[in-house]
Amino acid sequence: ASISREVAEYVSWAPILISSFLSLSGLLFLNVIIALICEANVEILEKAKKKKQQGRQEDNAKEKDNASVAERVLNLKAMHFEIQALLEKSFVPALETGDPQAR
Protein backbone atom coordinates (compact mmCIF):
# COMPACT_ATOMS: atom_id res chain seq x y z
CA ALA A 1 0.00 0.00 0.00
CA SER A 2 2.84 2.41 0.80
CA ILE A 3 4.43 1.74 -2.59
CA SER A 4 1.14 2.54 -4.29
CA ARG A 5 0.92 5.88 -2.47
CA GLU A 6 4.52 6.78 -3.33
CA VAL A 7 4.07 5.96 -7.00
CA ALA A 8 0.73 7.83 -7.04
CA GLU A 9 2.61 11.06 -6.37
CA TYR A 10 4.40 10.70 -9.74
CA VAL A 11 1.88 8.73 -11.88
CA SER A 12 -1.82 9.23 -11.26
CA TRP A 13 -3.01 5.87 -12.64
CA ALA A 14 -0.35 3.75 -10.80
CA PRO A 15 -2.62 2.72 -7.85
CA ILE A 16 -5.11 1.21 -10.30
CA LEU A 17 -2.32 -0.76 -11.98
CA ILE A 18 -0.86 -1.97 -8.68
CA SER A 19 -4.29 -2.89 -7.28
CA SER A 20 -5.20 -4.86 -10.39
CA PHE A 21 -1.80 -6.61 -10.32
CA LEU A 22 -2.22 -7.60 -6.66
CA SER A 23 -5.81 -8.75 -7.25
CA LEU A 24 -4.82 -10.84 -10.26
CA SER A 25 -1.85 -12.34 -8.37
CA GLY A 26 -4.13 -13.22 -5.46
CA LEU A 27 -6.64 -14.90 -7.75
CA LEU A 28 -3.91 -16.87 -9.51
CA PHE A 29 -2.47 -18.00 -6.17
CA LEU A 30 -5.93 -19.08 -5.01
CA ASN A 31 -6.41 -20.92 -8.30
CA VAL A 32 -3.14 -22.82 -7.76
CA ILE A 33 -4.18 -23.83 -4.25
CA ILE A 34 -7.56 -25.08 -5.50
CA ALA A 35 -5.85 -26.99 -8.35
CA LEU A 36 -3.54 -28.73 -5.86
CA ILE A 37 -6.50 -29.74 -3.72
CA CYS A 38 -8.35 -31.08 -6.76
CA GLU A 39 -5.33 -33.05 -7.98
CA ALA A 40 -4.85 -34.57 -4.53
CA ASN A 41 -8.53 -35.55 -4.51
CA VAL A 42 -8.26 -37.14 -7.96
CA GLU A 43 -5.18 -39.10 -6.88
CA ILE A 44 -6.96 -40.37 -3.77
CA LEU A 45 -9.96 -41.46 -5.85
CA GLU A 46 -7.71 -43.24 -8.38
CA LYS A 47 -5.94 -45.12 -5.60
CA ALA A 48 -9.27 -46.18 -4.15
CA LYS A 49 -10.46 -47.29 -7.59
CA LYS A 50 -7.27 -49.31 -8.16
CA LYS A 51 -7.62 -50.91 -4.75
CA LYS A 52 -11.22 -51.81 -5.53
CA GLN A 53 -10.21 -53.28 -8.90
CA GLN A 54 -7.43 -55.29 -7.28
CA GLY A 55 -9.96 -56.66 -4.81
CA ARG A 56 -12.20 -57.67 -7.69
CA GLN A 57 -9.28 -59.26 -9.52
CA GLU A 58 -8.35 -61.21 -6.40
CA ASP A 59 -11.97 -62.35 -6.05
CA ASN A 60 -11.99 -63.39 -9.72
CA ALA A 61 -8.69 -65.23 -9.23
CA LYS A 62 -10.13 -67.06 -6.22
CA GLU A 63 -13.24 -67.98 -8.20
CA LYS A 64 -11.05 -69.12 -11.07
CA ASP A 65 -8.95 -71.22 -8.70
CA ASN A 66 -12.10 -72.71 -7.22
CA ALA A 67 -13.39 -73.42 -10.72
CA SER A 68 -10.10 -74.96 -11.74
CA VAL A 69 -10.14 -77.15 -8.60
CA ALA A 70 -13.63 -78.33 -9.50
CA GLU A 71 -12.49 -79.03 -13.06
CA ARG A 72 -9.50 -80.98 -11.75
CA VAL A 73 -11.75 -83.07 -9.53
CA LEU A 74 -14.00 -83.84 -12.48
CA ASN A 75 -10.99 -84.75 -14.62
CA LEU A 76 -9.66 -87.03 -11.89
CA LYS A 77 -13.04 -88.75 -11.61
CA ALA A 78 -13.16 -89.24 -15.37
CA MET A 79 -9.63 -90.68 -15.38
CA HIS A 80 -10.60 -92.95 -12.48
CA PHE A 81 -13.54 -94.38 -14.42
CA GLU A 82 -11.36 -94.82 -17.52
CA ILE A 83 -8.74 -96.67 -15.50
CA GLN A 84 -11.42 -98.88 -13.94
CA ALA A 85 -12.81 -99.67 -17.39
CA LEU A 86 -9.33 -100.55 -18.71
CA LEU A 87 -8.62 -102.74 -15.71
CA GLU A 88 -11.94 -104.55 -16.09
CA LYS A 89 -11.23 -105.14 -19.79
CA SER A 90 -7.79 -106.49 -19.06
CA PHE A 91 -9.02 -108.87 -16.33
CA VAL A 92 -12.09 -110.18 -18.20
CA PRO A 93 -10.06 -112.44 -20.56
CA ALA A 94 -8.07 -113.77 -17.62
CA LEU A 95 -11.22 -114.63 -15.72
CA GLU A 96 -12.87 -116.26 -18.74
CA THR A 97 -9.90 -118.48 -19.63
CA GLY A 98 -8.64 -118.99 -16.10
CA ASP A 99 -5.13 -118.09 -17.32
CA PRO A 100 -3.58 -115.31 -15.18
CA GLN A 101 -1.20 -114.35 -17.98
CA ALA A 102 -3.93 -113.80 -20.56
CA ARG A 103 -3.95 -110.09 -19.90
Side-chain angles (χ1 to χ4, degrees):
S2 63
I3 294 174
S4 178
R5 284 186 216 116
E6 283 183 37
V7 175
E9 291 177 15
Y10 300 104
V11 181
S12 61
W13 49 269
I16 296 171
L17 181 64
I18 292 173
S19 296
S20 60
F21 171 76
L22 291 175
S23 298
L24 185 62
S25 296
L27 288 173
L28 290 175
F29 182 74
L30 185 62
N31 190 20
V32 168
I33 297 297
I34 291 171
L36 288 174
I37 292 171
C38 291
E39 284 296 319
N41 191 26
V42 167
E43 189 172 328
I44 289 170
L45 291 174
E46 285 177 356
K47 284 183 181 179
K49 188 176 181 180
K50 284 181 183 180
K51 189 174 183 181
K52 192 174 183 180
Q53 286 177 349
Q54 285 176 351
R56 287 181 184 169
Q57 288 174 351
E58 289 174 1
D59 290 344
N60 290 341
K62 287 178 184 177
E63 289 176 8
K64 193 174 185 179
D65 287 343
N66 290 341
S68 65
V69 169
E71 289 176 10
R72 290 178 189 169
V73 169
L74 290 175
N75 287 340
L76 285 172
K77 286 182 180 179
M79 285 190 279
H80 175 74
F81 289 122
E82 288 177 13
I83 291 171
Q84 278 184 333
L86 289 173
L87 287 175
E88 287 175 3
K89 285 182 184 177
S90 67
F91 284 119
V92 168
L95 291 175
E96 289 175 358
T97 60
D99 185 15
Q101 295 186 3
R103 296 183 210 172

